[in-house]
């Protein structure tokens, strides 16, 4: 069972691509999920919380510089890249808002799987994802307001409230439940089950969220044209490339460079889509960049993982 769950989670990029293709061809099969986008995202955050332990927070204290550098890169490189790319490609205001919003989101949980496949530092990846997710509760609304507020109205306070409900509360609840599980006699058995099934549920929900957005916005995506697709690709290419370079300039080893590259380049596109759908409903194009982003960062991450897996870092078999 555990082995099957691990295989299913590792094939996440494939499910995203297949799901989006299906949603494009048969949108009516996916639009039913629209009312469940926010609850679904909360379920993913709850699942992440269920995998976190007090020891994970203690681990941050043992390598604070590496974690801080990775999280800082996440919230500097991607937001700035989002703004620059939107300006360079002269995207219309609604698409600019959507691109900047997804650029200001934290790292996605799929990055942990990609780091494993790429023979990167998985423990550091988990810590970066955890810390960037907590930091995003404040930074995502603040940076979106700062970078996109001049293009279209952005209510940072309402975004912040959504981040509390969608991200922080489920995370804290998951951690609390996990702490309670630790008192059970068969705690490790329960945790192994959660660790195995949790990623499968996350993959399914993310595919449903992204597929639903593609189905709902299919005509708008088609009308947006080539510039939008190139712009979203450029955003993630910058994230992967600059993330790797920054860790290299800091003198970090190859494993850490790969980890930062993947963590910075892969966004929580599901969160971006959910926030855009709720807070910018009057701007029909706002969720579109997040849907395209989900496909692109999975494809780029998978290609890098396949390449890097053939070139293990020194000391790794």
């Amino acid at each position: 069972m555990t082995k099957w769950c691990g295989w299913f989670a590792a094939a996440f990029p494939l499910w995203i691509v297949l799901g989006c293709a299906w949603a494009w061809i048969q949108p009516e099969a996916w639009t039913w999920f629209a009312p469940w986008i926010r609850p679904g995202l909360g379920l993913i955050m709850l699942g992440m919380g269920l995998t976190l332990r007090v020891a994970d927070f203690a681990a941050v204290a043992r390598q604070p510089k590496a974690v801080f550098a990775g999280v800082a890169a996440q919230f500097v490189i991607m937001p700035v890249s989002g703004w620059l790319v939107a300006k360079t490609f002269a995207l219309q205001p609604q698409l600019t808002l959507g691109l900047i919003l997804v650029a200001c989101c934290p790292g996605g949980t799929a990055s942990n799987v990609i780091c494993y496949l790429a023979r990167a530092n998985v423990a550091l990846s988990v810590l970066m994802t955890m810390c960037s997710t907590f930091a995003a509760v404040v930074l995502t609304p603040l940076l979106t307001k700062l970078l996109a507020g001049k293009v279209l109205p952005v209510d940072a306070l309402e975004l912040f409230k959504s981040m509390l409900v969608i991200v922080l509360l489920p995370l804290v609840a998951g951690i609390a439940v996990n702490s309670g599980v630790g008192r059970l006699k068969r705690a490790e058995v329960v945790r192994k089950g959660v660790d195995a099934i949790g990623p499968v549920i996350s993959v399914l929900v993310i595919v449903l969220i992204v597929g639903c957005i593609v189905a709902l916005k299919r005509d708008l995506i088609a009308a947006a044209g080539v510039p939008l697709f190139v712009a979203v690709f450029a955003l993630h290419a910058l994230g992967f490339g600059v993330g790797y370079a920054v860790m290299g300039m800091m003198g970090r080893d190859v494993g850490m460079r790969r980890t930062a590259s993947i963590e910075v380049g892969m966004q929580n596109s599901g969160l971006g889509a959910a926030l855009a759908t709720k807070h910018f409903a009057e701007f029909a194009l706002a969720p579109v960049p997040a849907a395209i982003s989900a496909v692109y960062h999975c494809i780029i991450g998978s290609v890098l993982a396949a390449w890097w897996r053939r070139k293990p870092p020194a000391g790794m078999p």
Side-chain angles (χ1 to χ4, degrees), residues 231-268:
V232 177
F233 178 84
L235 170 67
H236 288 291
L238 283 169
F240 281 102
V242 179
Y244 188 96
V246 166
M247 277 296 185
M249 289 187 289
M250 292 179 62
R252 300 295 179 179
D253 61 41
V254 173
M256 285 191 177
R257 293 179 200 177
R258 293 179 181 182
T259 303
S261 172
I262 293 166
E263 282 296 317
V264 174
M266 298 189 72
Q267 300 298 95
N268 191 333

Side-chain angles (χ1 to χ4, degrees), residues 23-265:
W24 187 270
I25 296 169
Q26 195 178 9
E28 63 275 9
W30 291 78
T31 52
W32 64 270
F33 194 73
W36 301 97
I37 288 177
R38 292 185 70 212
L41 198 59
L43 180 63
I44 293 173
M45 293 299 112
L46 176 65
M48 182 187 291
L50 287 170
T51 65
L52 297 177
R53 299 159 176 73
V54 175
D56 295 325
F57 295 92
V60 176
R62 290 195 291 271
Q63 46 181 334
K65 291 182 179 179
V67 175
F68 177 79
V71 175
Q74 173 76 55
F75 289 108
V76 173
I77 294 171
M78 290 304 281
V80 172
S81 295
W83 183 83
L84 287 174
V85 168
K87 288 292 183 183
T88 300
F89 288 89
L91 297 180
Q92 58 176 283
Q94 293 186 29
L95 293 177
T96 294
L97 172 60
L99 188 71
I100 290 175
L101 176 59
V102 76
C104 294
C105 285
T109 53
S111 61
N112 306 147
V113 175
I114 297 298
C115 278
Y116 169 75
L117 296 175
R119 300 192 179 190
N121 190 323
V122 179
L124 180 60
S125 172
V126 172
L127 291 176
M128 285 185 180
T129 300
M130 177 185 74
C131 291
S132 70
T133 301
F134 277 109
V137 174
V138 173
L139 292 180
T140 295
L142 184 64
L143 291 170
T144 303
K145 173 70 174 179
L146 178 66
L147 296 172
K150 294 180 180 179
V151 178
L152 287 173
V154 175
D155 192 331
L157 180 58
E158 287 302 313
L159 277 174
F160 173 70
K161 290 177 181 177
S162 282
M163 293 295 288
L164 288 177
V165 174
I166 296 175
V167 177
L168 187 60
L169 291 181
L171 270 175
V172 172
I175 295 169
V177 171
N178 196 3
S179 299
V181 167
R183 301 186 182 95
L184 299 176
K185 291 182 178 180
R186 303 187 68 185
E188 284 307 311
V189 175
V190 175
R191 280 175 171 166
K192 285 182 179 178
V194 170
D195 289 346
I197 298 172
V200 172
I201 295 174
S202 294
V203 167
L204 289 172
V205 175
I206 292 173
V207 171
L208 284 169
I209 290 174
V210 175
C212 180
I213 296 296
V214 169
L216 291 169
K217 307 294 182 181
R218 185 182 67 167
D219 293 340
L220 294 174
I221 292 173
V226 175
L228 175 61
F229 285 86
V230 177
V232 177
F233 178 84
L235 170 67
H236 288 291
L238 283 169
F240 281 102
V242 179
Y244 188 96
V246 166
M247 277 296 185
M249 289 187 289
M250 292 179 62
R252 300 295 179 179
D253 61 41
V254 173
M256 285 191 177
R257 293 179 200 177
R258 293 179 181 182
T259 303
S261 172
I262 293 166
E263 282 296 317
V264 174

